């Protein structure tokens, strides 16, 4: 029961941080709220027993993505105090649409009845073995994709010398 | 050699000559080479034609030569065929065409001897084209090939009339001839279309088991006759023929006297099975032919240009042929075509010889040439007598047959017109002879000299045929399966008497003494009015008025319709697409949010569809 | 650790839906491209939560491996996206989405 309450609190944290991330008028704050949301998600993963993914989430998202984004903000917006905000003419329609999407998914989720649910523990070792045996091809393909993305990012962002 | 091979030789040797000369420029620009090729090919044609014709005339009846190749296949059917077809109808015409063409080509060697080599080469290349086209027309196995060759002949005529292309009048005359005949050719084309719709083919005989309604036959024959009126220079489309005299005289002899203008008459002969089903058209032919015969004969009397006299005379004689065919007598018209080809070609060649000597077309620049040019003079007199229908010459037999047929068919008014025309013919030919050969020589005639043998030989050959050609009338009759032996009839006597009267009147009126008294001003004031009235000017003017008022107005109407209805519809559709695109392109805003709205809308719509 | 039974799964799915909707809202309302990317990240994260929830509900490794892949893909996406932002900023002197709206009809 306590675990359930803790889970709910973490979920609340994640959603609130997400809300601030999309509502904040300061871009740097927005990024940092995103970091909070993603870190909360990591905690969530830890709680439901996906400790490996929790670590990956921290390393890749909070470590990689957030850093990248902050760099992006710093590189483009020299004025840190720039207010981005949400233009009012878009707010209402955006909110309605988002609520519609939420209503749609939530109704679908609540209309379904799930049964069972195990408490089997999946060790990191098993994941590692699965990655390098059963899913090896996908894993290698992903490596190539990441390499390509890295090269692409460098090529695209590179300052071309005249 | 089989007859098939001979028939192919007739047609293909001029074709080869024409193709070679048109494609291989080095041969064409050398006059003597080009002339040699053309004359050799025509000689081959003539030889083969004579052999083919001999086996079909004089009582013999070789089977028809019929080589046809499928043409225009489509939908499992063959639309038409091309090939060669020699029957007793085509055979004499083949000989006439090849013979006159050969005579004229040899004659041209002398007549155009002073022309630049390059121009002579071009001239003979055109001649080869003409010979092929005309023979193709004569030997056509169906009316479609006849039509194609008909148009090719028109093209050759255009090219040859415009031979002196540096002369603006020659160019204009060529254009006029082309357009007038082209206008008339629409009739042939439309007639063929109707024929195809009604019988499913282009044959001149109605296929067995099929019946051509009289009304349909009248339409087809009427349309075909329109083309005949243009090509054979019947009133009112005769206007191109006198102008066509701008071409070299040998060309006039070949195309505009003997063969091409006779193509119209030949079309009637060929398509006689259709024409004979159309009584109204036949009657119309009688009246129009007789009118043209008389009208052109009147005009010919007042011409001072020797070639124009002969041109109008040709119109007149073609009128005879058309009238004869209208009476239902194919033989008489066809026979007159043959004899006329000989004596009219002869007359043109002698006229050319005179023109060659005095360097002028005008009769008043001639005179007294008898002393200088006896052989030409003799041949001119022979031709004139034949044309005037002097007893026992070829024209006598053929003209007599026509008059008899007119009487026989009960066409009295046309008969009287034809007899009057015969008298006038004798009169104007006597005038030509008297003015050119006798009397005081003009300045130009002082230095005249006889033409070379290369010109005289073809003339002599034609002269002989003009004299004795009439003896073939029995064979012509047999060819058509008729027994129209020659009789001496009252009509013949009257006509001959009229002709002799015309000759006598001419001799009296234009005797050297009398002529000296009146000079060239022999036409009195009332007669001047007649001259004007009957000359080309009023008809030309009528055509011009027709063109300006009717054709241009109709064209303007069509142009208006095209611009403001057809174009407007097209522009409207383009405008509608453009305006629609103006609206639709707004969908692509370029803002990411809008695309996501679209995705969400789609999501909601899909869910709604799933729920329902 | 908490076992992912039906109740927990429902909770996680609702959380995921909420996060996804927030992402949608961000993408729809942000004018700044980095703001827009943040929205995208939230949506991707929502998807990941979904995946993990089901993976833990079902047990087995496949779900978690797949989540690993999607996380890596998201990172690649962000890397390229930010490179584009820098490029856009360089050529247009702006990081507004409307600056890249040249393809509008």
């Amino acid at each position: 029961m306590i675990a359930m309450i803790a889970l709910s609190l973490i979920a609340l944290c994640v959603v609130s941080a997400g809300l601030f991330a999309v509502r904040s008028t300061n871009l740097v704050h927005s990024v940092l709220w995103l970091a909070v949301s993603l870190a909360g998600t990591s905690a969530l993963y830890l709680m439901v027993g996906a400790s490996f993914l929790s670590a990956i989430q921290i390393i890749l998202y909070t470590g990689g993505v957030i850093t990248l984004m902050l760099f992006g903000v710093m590189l483009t917006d020299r004025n840190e105090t720039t207010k981005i905000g949400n233009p009012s003419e878009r707010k209402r329609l955006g909110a309605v649409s988002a609520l519609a999407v939420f209503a749609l998914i939530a109704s679908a989720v609540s209309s379904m009845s799930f049964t069972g649910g195990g408490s089997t523990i999946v060790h990191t070792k098993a994941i590692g073995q699965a990655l390098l045996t059963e899913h090896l091809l996908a894993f290698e393909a992903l490596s190539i994709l990441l390499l390509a993305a890295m090269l692409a990012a460098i090529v695209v962002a590179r300052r071309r010398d005249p | 050699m089989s007859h098939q091979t001979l028939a192919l030789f007739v047609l293909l040797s001029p074709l080869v000559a024409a193709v070679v000369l048109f494609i291989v420029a080095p041969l064409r620009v050398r006059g003597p080479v080009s002339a040699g090729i053309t004359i050799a090919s025509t000689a081959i044609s003539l030889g083969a034609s004579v052999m083919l014709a001999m086996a079909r005339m004089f009582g013999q009846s070789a089977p028809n030569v019929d080589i046809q190749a499928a043409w225009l296949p489509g939908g499992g059917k063959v639309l038409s065929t091309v090939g060669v077809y020699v029957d007793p109808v085509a055979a004499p015409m083949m000989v006439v065409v090849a013979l006159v063409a050969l005579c004229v080509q040899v004659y041209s060697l002398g007549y155009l001897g002073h022309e630049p080599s390059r121009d002579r080469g071009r001239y003979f290349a055109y001649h080869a084209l003409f010979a092929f086209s005309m023979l193709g027309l004569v030997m056509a196995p169906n009316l479609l090939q006849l039509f194609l060759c008909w148009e090719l002949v028109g093209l050759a005529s255009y090219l040859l009339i415009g031979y002196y292309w540096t002369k603006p009048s020659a160019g204009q005359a060529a254009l006029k001839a082309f357009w007038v005949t082209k206008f008339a050719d629409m009739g042939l084309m439309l007639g063929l279309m109707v024929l195809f719709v009604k019988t499913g083919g282009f044959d001149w005989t109605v296929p067995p088991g099929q019946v051509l309604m009289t009304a349909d036959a009248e339409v087809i024959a009427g349309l075909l006759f329109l083309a005949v009126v243009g090509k054979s220079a019947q009133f009112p489309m005769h206007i191109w023929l006198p102008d066509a005299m701008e071409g070299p005289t040998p060309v006039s002899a070949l195309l505009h006297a003997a063969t091409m203008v006779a193509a119209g008459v030949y079309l009637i002969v060929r398509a006689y099975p259709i024409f004979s089903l159309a009584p109204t058209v036949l009657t119309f032919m009688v009246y129009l032919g007789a009118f043209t015969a008389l009208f052109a004969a009147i005009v010919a009397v007042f011409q001072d240009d020797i070639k124009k006299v002969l041109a109008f005379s040709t119109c007149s004689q073609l009128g005879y042929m058309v009238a004869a065919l209208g009476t239902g007598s194919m033989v008489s018209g066809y026979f007159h075509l043959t004899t006329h080809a000989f004596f009219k070609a002869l007359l043109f060649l002698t006229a050319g010889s005179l023109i060659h000597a005095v360097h002028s077309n005008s009769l008043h620049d001639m005179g007294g040439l008898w002393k200088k040019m006896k052989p030409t003079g003799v041949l001119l007199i022979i031709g004139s007598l034949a044309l005037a229908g002097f007893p026992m010459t070829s024209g006598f037999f053929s003209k007599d047959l026509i008059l008899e047929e007119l009487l026989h068919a009960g066409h009295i008014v046309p008969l009287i017109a034809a007899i009057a025309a015969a008298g006038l013919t004798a009169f104007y030919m006597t005038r030509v002879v008297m003015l050119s050969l006798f009397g005081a020589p003009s300045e130009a005639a002082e230095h005249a000299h006889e033409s070379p043998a290369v010109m005289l030989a073809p003339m002599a050959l034609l002269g002989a045929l003009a004299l004795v050609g009439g003896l073939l009338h029995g064979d012509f009759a047999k060819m058509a399966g008729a027994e129209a032996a020659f009789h001496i009839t009252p009509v013949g006597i009257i006509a001959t008497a009229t002709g002799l009267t015309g000759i006598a009147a001419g001799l009296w009126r234009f005797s050297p003494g009398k002529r000296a008294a009146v000079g060239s001003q022999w036409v009195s004031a009332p007669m001047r009015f007649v001259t004007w009235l009957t000359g080309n000017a009023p008809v030309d003017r009528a055509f011009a008025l027709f063109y300006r008022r009717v054709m241009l107005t109709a064209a303007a109407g069509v142009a208006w319709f095209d611009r403001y209805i057809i174009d407007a519809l097209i522009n409207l559709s383009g405008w509608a697409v453009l305006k629609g695109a103006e609206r639709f392109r707004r969908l692509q805003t370029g803002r990411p949010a809008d695309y996501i709205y679209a995705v969400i809308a789609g999501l909601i719509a899909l869910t709604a569809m799933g729920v329902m | 650790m908490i076992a992912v039974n039906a109740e927990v799964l429902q909770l996680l799915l609702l959380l995921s839906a909420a996060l996804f909707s927030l992402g949608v809202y961000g993408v729809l309302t942000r004018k700044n491209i980095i703001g827009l990317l943040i929205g995208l990240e939230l949506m991707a994260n929502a998807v990941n939560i979904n995946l993990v929830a089901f993976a833990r509900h079902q047990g087995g490794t496949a779900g978690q491996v797949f989540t690993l892949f999607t996380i890596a893909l998201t990172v690649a996406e962000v890397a390229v996206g930010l490179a584009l932002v820098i490029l856009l900023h360089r050529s247009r002197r702006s990081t507004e989405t409307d600056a890249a709206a040249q393809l509008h009809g």
Side-chain angles (χ1 to χ4, degrees):
Chain A
M1 189 61 204
I2 293 172
M4 192 64 190
I5 292 169
L7 193 69
S8 304
L9 279 175
I10 293 172
L12 194 65
C13 274
V14 169
V15 173
S16 314
L19 183 63
F20 291 133
V22 294
R23 291 285 293 146
S24 170
T25 53
N26 188 314
L27 194 54
V28 178
H29 292 182
S30 195
V31 174
L32 291 176
W33 278 120
L34 177 68
V36 172
S37 178
L38 294 177
T41 310
S42 172
L44 214 63
Y45 289 169
L46 199 62
M47 279 202 72
V48 297
S51 50
F52 175 66
L53 280 179
S54 171
I56 292 288
Q57 176 88 0
I58 291 288
I59 294 166
L60 280 187
Y61 267 120
T62 326
V65 171
I66 299 300
T67 314
L68 263 178
M69 283 199 164
L70 283 175
F71 265 104
V73 173
M74 302 300 173
L75 282 174
T76 55
D77 266 325
R78 278 156 203 171
N79 187 358
E80 275 178 51
T81 58
T82 306
K83 298 284 180 280
I84 51 164
N86 307 70
S88 58
E89 79 271 8
R90 293 189 181 184
K91 260 189 222 166
R92 198 168 298 135
L93 197 54
V96 170
S97 302
L99 279 176
V101 171
F102 178 72
L104 207 70
I105 301 172
S107 68
V109 167
S110 53
S111 70
M112 275 192 276
S113 54
F114 301 102
T115 52
S119 59
T120 48
I121 297 167
V122 176
H123 292 289
T124 306
K125 187 181 174 187
I127 295 175
Q129 272 177 343
L131 261 182
L132 290 179
T133 54
E134 200 181 347
H135 304 293
L136 184 61
L137 184 64
F139 184 71
E140 292 300 336
L142 188 71
S143 317
I144 291 173
L145 179 83
L146 285 175
L147 180 65
M150 191 171 79
L151 286 175
I154 292 169
V155 167
V156 167
R158 189 171 58 115
R159 188 181 293 277
R160 281 175 182 75
D161 295 320
Chain B
M1 241 188 286
S2 75
H3 281 194
Q4 265 82 3
T5 321
L6 282 176
L8 286 176
F9 262 103
V10 172
L11 192 58
L12 292 184
S13 70
L15 174 64
V16 169
V19 168
V20 165
L21 288 178
F22 274 105
I23 291 177
V24 188
L27 294 179
R28 190 174 67 241
V29 297
R30 286 176 177 77
V33 178
S34 178
I37 292 174
T38 302
I39 290 174
S41 76
T42 312
I44 292 172
S45 274
L46 177 61
S49 304
V50 168
M51 285 162 80
L52 285 169
M54 291 297 253
R56 280 165 186 77
M57 296 186 78
F58 307 119
Q60 304 175 63
S61 58
N64 293 344
V65 175
D66 189 1
I67 307 170
Q68 298 192 20
W71 189 48
L72 296 176
K77 285 192 301 184
V78 174
L79 191 58
S80 182
T81 57
V82 287
V84 291
Y85 181 76
V86 183
D87 63 350
V89 175
M93 189 71 182
M94 281 160 57
V95 177
V96 168
V97 170
L99 177 68
V100 177
L102 184 65
C103 288
V104 164
Q105 285 164 11
V106 172
Y107 178 93
S108 299
L109 286 176
Y111 189 80
L112 294 175
H114 307 301
E115 291 285 312
S117 172
R118 195 186 182 83
D119 286 346
R120 266 184 294 157
R122 183 163 58 86
Y123 174 83
F124 280 104
Y126 295 160
H127 260 294
L129 173 67
F130 173 77
F132 161 70
S133 316
M134 192 69 207
L135 286 167
L137 190 158
V138 172
M139 301 167 75
N142 54 47
L143 289 176
L144 189 64
Q145 186 185 331
L146 188 145
F147 173 64
L148 295 177
C149 293
W150 179 281
E151 295 297 334
L152 276 176
V153 165
L155 171 67
S157 163
Y158 168 79
L159 293 170
L160 284 167
I161 293 172
Y163 170 71
Y164 297 117
W165 56 274
T166 48
K167 258 168 64 180
S169 60
Q172 280 166 9
L175 265 185
K176 186 173 175 182
F178 196 70
W179 283 118
V180 171
T181 51
K182 204 55 48 188
F183 174 72
D185 289 351
M186 283 193 321
L188 183 47
M189 199 156 73
L190 293 173
L192 287 184
M193 287 178 189
V194 178
L195 180 68
F196 186 77
V197 169
K198 295 294 175 192
T199 70
F202 295 106
D203 292 328
W204 50 72
T205 50
V206 180
Q210 256 188 326
V211 180
L212 194 60
M213 303 293 288
T214 308
D216 295 338
E218 297 275 15
V219 170
I220 295 166
L223 287 168
L224 296 187
F225 184 60
L226 176 62
V228 174
V229 169
K231 201 70 142 189
S232 287
Q234 297 297 290
F235 184 88
M237 288 197 219
H238 64 280
I239 50 169
W240 67 271
L241 188 57
D243 288 17
M245 297 300 132
E246 288 290 344
T249 309
V251 169
S252 308
L254 177 58
L255 273 70
H256 308 122
T259 56
M260 188 192 86
V261 288
V265 177
Y266 182 76
L267 170 63
I268 305 177
V269 171
R270 198 74 272 201
Y272 216 71
I274 293 169
F275 274 90
S276 58
L277 294 174
T280 316
V281 174
L282 287 180
T283 312
F284 180 69
M285 278 162 61
V286 172
Y287 281 87
L288 186 70
F291 175 74
T292 307
L294 181 61
F295 170 84
I298 293 172
V299 179
V301 173
F302 299 101
Q303 300 298 318
D304 286 336
D305 180 330
I306 185 169
K307 286 184 73 180
K308 295 224 160 141
V309 176
L310 294 176
F312 279 108
S313 166
T314 304
C315 292
S316 172
Q317 298 301 310
L318 289 165
Y320 272 105
M321 298 173 207
V322 169
L325 291 168
T327 63
S329 164
M330 191 184 100
V331 176
S332 58
Y334 194 17
F335 185 43
H336 194 56
L337 191 170
T338 312
T339 57
H340 174 259
F342 295 142
F343 60 69
K344 189 51 69 63
L346 169 67
L347 282 171
F348 266 105
L349 293 187
T350 50
S353 183
L354 298 177
I355 291 166
H356 196 60
V358 300
H359 302 291
S360 165
N361 281 8
S362 173
L363 282 170
H364 302 300
D365 290 336
M366 299 173 186
L369 289 172
W370 173 254
K371 287 171 201 142
K372 312 239 176 203
M373 308 173 68
K374 279 231 172 54
T376 302
V378 169
L379 289 163
L380 177 60
I381 291 168
I382 289 173
S384 302
L385 288 176
L387 176 55
F390 195 78
M392 302 323 285
T393 58
S394 59
F396 168 73
F397 288 97
S398 55
K399 201 180 280 185
D400 236 38
L401 268 178
I402 291 174
L403 296 175
E404 262 179 63
E405 294 292 347
L406 281 172
L407 178 68
H408 211 66
H411 296 298
I412 300 303
V413 175
L415 175 66
I416 293 168
I419 292 175
L424 283 168
T425 305
F427 181 71
Y428 67 67
M429 279 325 294
T430 313
R431 172 173 172 254
V432 166
V433 169
M434 297 304 287
L435 289 185
S436 60
L437 294 184
F438 303 104
S442 65
E443 271 176 49
E446 288 289 348
H447 311 290
H449 53 84
E450 183 55 278
S451 300
V454 73
M455 287 165 72
L456 283 176
M459 285 155 63
L461 177 59
L462 288 171
L465 286 166
L467 276 180
V468 304
L471 303 177
L472 291 170
H473 68 272
D475 297 295
F476 258 87
K478 280 202 203 86
M479 175 195 81
E483 201 57 47
F486 183 75
H487 307 292
I488 301 212
T489 57
V491 177
I493 293 168
I494 292 171
T496 310
T498 315
L500 292 174
T501 313
I503 293 173
L507 286 174
W508 169 75
R509 187 65 184 76
F510 299 104
S511 62
K514 190 131 179 112
R515 177 185 165 206
V518 289
S520 63
Q521 304 295 316
W522 72 285
V523 183
S524 61
M527 290 310 257
R528 275 183 194 287
F529 177 68
V530 176
T531 318
W532 176 83
L533 192 67
T534 54
N536 252 353
V539 186
D540 271 351
R541 210 164 292 174
F543 268 97
L545 201 68
F546 173 76
Y547 171 72
R548 256 178 236 129
R549 288 283 153 78
V550 180
M551 303 283 278
L552 286 189
T553 310
V558 172
W560 182 90
F561 184 80
D562 183 59
R563 188 163 307 149
Y564 293 104
I565 308 294
I566 307 276
D567 283 4
L569 284 175
I570 291 165
N571 289 344
L572 182 68
S573 63
W575 180 83
V577 169
L578 212 59
K579 284 290 156 190
E582 273 303 307
R583 294 282 167 85
F584 280 118
R585 65 191 279 248
R586 303 258 165 82
L587 284 178
Q588 301 291 328
T589 58
R591 295 194 313 155
D594 293 336
Y595 300 91
I596 295 181
Y597 283 129
V599 171
I600 293 167
L603 180 69
I604 291 170
L606 282 174
T607 314
M609 279 165 66
V611 169
M612 276 191 293
Chain C
M1 199 191 92
I2 183 168
V4 181
N5 53 21
E7 202 179 23
V8 174
L9 180 61
Q10 201 107 25
L11 178 71
L12 287 178
L13 291 183
L14 283 176
L15 166 68
S16 159
L19 218 50
F20 187 83
S21 304
L22 284 174
V24 168
Y25 177 79
V27 170
L28 288 180
T29 54
R30 288 297 197 195
K31 283 184 83 174
N32 189 292
I33 295 186
I34 294 177
L36 195 141
L37 276 173
I38 289 168
L40 283 177
E41 286 306 307
L42 283 176
M43 287 160 85
N45 199 42
V47 171
N48 287 341
I49 289 173
N50 237 357
L51 270 172
V52 170
F54 276 110
R56 289 306 297 144
H57 182 67
Q58 301 288 332
T61 57
Q64 293 197 42
V65 170
F66 204 80
T67 312
L68 179 66
F69 288 166
T70 58
I71 290 172
L73 280 176
T74 315
V75 172
E77 171 217 317
V78 168
V80 175
L82 283 172
L84 286 172
V85 169
I86 289 168
L87 191 66
L88 185 73
H89 179 262
R90 197 180 293 152
S91 66
R92 301 253 186 257
R93 295 276 130 211
S94 166
T95 50
E96 303 278 297
T97 53
D98 292 349
Q102 295 294 305
L103 280 176
H104 70 84

